Amino acid sequence: MVEIPQKMQAVICHGPENYQLAEVDVPTPGPGEALVKVDAVGICASDLKCYHGAAKFWGDDNRPAWAETEVIPGHEFVGTVVQLDDAAAERWGVAVGDRVTSEQIVPCWKCRYCLRGEYWMCGPHDLYGFKRRTPGAMAEYMVYSADALVHQVPKELPPAHAAFVEPLSCAMHAVERAKLTFDDVVVVAGCGPIGLGMIAGAKSKNPRMVIALDSIPRKLELARKCGADLAINIAEEDAVAKVKELTDGYGADVYLEGTGHPAAVPQGLNLLRKLGTYVEYGVFGSDVTVDWSIISDDKELDVLGAHLGPHCWPAALQLLASGALPMDEIVTHQLPLAEFQKGLDLVGSGAESIKVSLIP
């Protein structure tokens, strides 16, 4: 029998730039749910946008669209089951003591998208760490909802490495959207957590070449270790000209955008060949304006979006377990829960960290 305390430490979101560590009650799982002791939780760029009160996350009256106040943040995590009932154990195939993760979205399983198997686009969905009904993982304990998608995690993976399964699954979904072929030249914009995952995922498909773009040398070196055949520093070199030089003037076959920077959009449209494929994963903080005639009249491009990591979690866990990714270098910072503010600041600075994790 696992002894469960009555109180725990948790980060509470009280509004933009007002997150506080507090002692709260350990949650009690309901029917079909599981109580999980959090082993690690990553800090995502979307966590940072929410923290700063980005318009996409917060309404004018502080009643946000995605992140509600008085909620515990954290949507990329891994933990150990400490309590669950028979229904949860049977549904997920897990037991007390198992290391588990849950997909960040909790679907309703009743809307048009869920009924068509497109659960990651569920209309009335919940998200861990953004809504009060599904508190997140910046706490010592959390509850996995009865409607959640739960995956077992190899125990030999260090907790902070295992928590990387969430951004890695997202990156791999973007790669799947591109439908890569062996002859493709693939360009990945951005060598942060998502971009590095895109590089590793694209490389596993064995295209002709994977090219990484970034302006930070340290990240470009990591991109090479994740499988990039070529890493271009966009602060020193014209990426569009270089890619065209490598492709007899035609341009790349596929462009995967993982930065959320407005300049990355025209960059991608310009370096793609005619009939090329553009996949957008980045989340932008402001509107982006481009010449849409490039997409239509000039090149007849396929422009695709990618959201979350549906059906990619088992493959992402397998990739992590394989040791193919330099996780000791990707997970640059592991901090105690009490240092959550330092973690947010590290993610915000960009240059000092790749992936920052909290260890409750």
Side-chain angles (χ1 to χ4, degrees), residues 178-187 202-203 205-211 229 246-248 250-254 273 276:
K179 295 182 171 63
L180 302 186
T181 69
F182 295 130
D183 195 44
D184 282 339
V185 172
V186 182
V187 175
K203 189 65 175 180
K205 298 283 188 178
N206 292 312
R208 177 153 53 105
M209 182 181 290
V210 178
I211 301 171
D229 300 294
L246 293 167
T247 55
D248 298 323
Y250 287 101
D253 303 282
V254 175
R273 65 166 172 84

Side-chain angles (χ1 to χ4, degrees), residues 10-313:
V11 178
I12 308 295
C13 164
H14 296 290
E17 300 185 359
N18 185 11
Y19 286 21
Q20 298 176 21
L21 190 68
E23 184 177 78
V24 299
D25 292 336
V26 171
T28 301
E33 297 183 333
L35 180 65
V36 175
K37 188 178 189 306
V38 179
D39 295 332
V41 53
I43 300 179
C44 174
S46 62
D47 290 319
L48 188 71
K49 288 186 175 78
C50 182
Y51 170 75
H52 287 301
K56 275 185 179 292
F57 296 84
W58 297 93
D60 291 338
D61 58 354
N62 277 352
R63 296 291 296 171
W66 288 10
E68 297 177 350
T69 53
E70 313 310 314
V71 74
I72 299 171
H75 65 277
E76 47 182 71
F77 49 79
V78 64
T80 301
V81 178
V82 294
Q83 183 181 338
L84 79 171
D85 61 16
D86 291 341
E90 182 177 356
R91 184 189 317 109
W92 295 324
V94 302
V96 170
D98 285 346
R99 174 174 283 175
V100 289
T101 186
S102 174
E103 297 193 24
Q104 68 283 77
I105 188 171
V106 180
C108 73
W109 301 114
K110 297 174 183 177
C111 71
R112 172 180 180 175
Y113 300 105
C114 287
L115 293 175
R116 289 162 58 101
E118 299 158 341
Y119 71 88
W120 66 100
M121 298 306 298
C122 172
H125 66 277
D126 284 327
L127 277 173
Y128 289 112
F130 293 102
K131 296 189 177 181
R132 295 191 197 99
R133 290 192 300 269
T134 47
M138 290 188 189
E140 294 179 273
Y141 293 86
M142 68 181 297
V143 167
Y144 287 4
S145 168
D147 289 325
L149 295 104
V150 174
H151 305 276
Q152 287 203 51
V153 177
K155 288 188 177 181
E156 61 269 21
L157 283 174
H161 296 188
F164 194 71
V165 65
E166 193 276 345
L168 184 56
S169 68
C170 293
M172 293 176 75
H173 176 52
V175 171
E176 283 198 334
R177 290 282 283 159
K179 295 182 171 63
L180 302 186
T181 69
F182 295 130
D183 195 44
D184 282 339
V185 172
V186 182
V187 175
V188 176
C191 298
I194 292 293
L196 294 174
M198 288 175 171
I199 291 163
K203 189 65 175 180
S204 71
K205 298 283 188 178
N206 292 312
R208 177 153 53 105
M209 182 181 290
V210 178
I211 301 171
L213 308 181
D214 207 293
S215 61
I216 299 175
R218 176 188 180 199
K219 291 185 176 181
L220 291 169
E221 182 57 34
L222 263 182
R224 295 184 187 95
K225 292 181 179 181
C226 288
D229 300 294
L230 178 66
I232 299 175
N233 189 326
I234 60 172
E236 300 174 355
E237 220 173 334
D238 185 332
V240 175
K242 183 63 176 179
V243 170
K244 289 191 175 181
E245 176 189 328
L246 293 167
T247 55
D248 298 323
Y250 287 101
D253 303 282
V254 175
Y255 182 78
L256 303 173
E257 202 293 299
T259 71
H261 193 289
V265 180
Q267 172 182 263
L269 297 178
N270 286 315
L271 64 73
L272 281 169
R273 65 166 172 84
K274 294 179 180 180
L275 303 175
T277 299
Y278 181 116
V279 180
E280 181 58 64
Y281 193 90
V283 177
F284 296 90
S286 59
D287 293 343
V288 180
T289 301
V290 297
D291 179 0
W292 276 68
S293 62
I294 299 173
I295 298 168
S296 57
D297 192 50
D298 291 358
K299 294 186 176 181
E300 195 176 321
L301 300 176
D302 287 335
V303 179
L304 305 169
H307 177 60
L308 303 186
H311 309 300
C312 292
W313 289 67

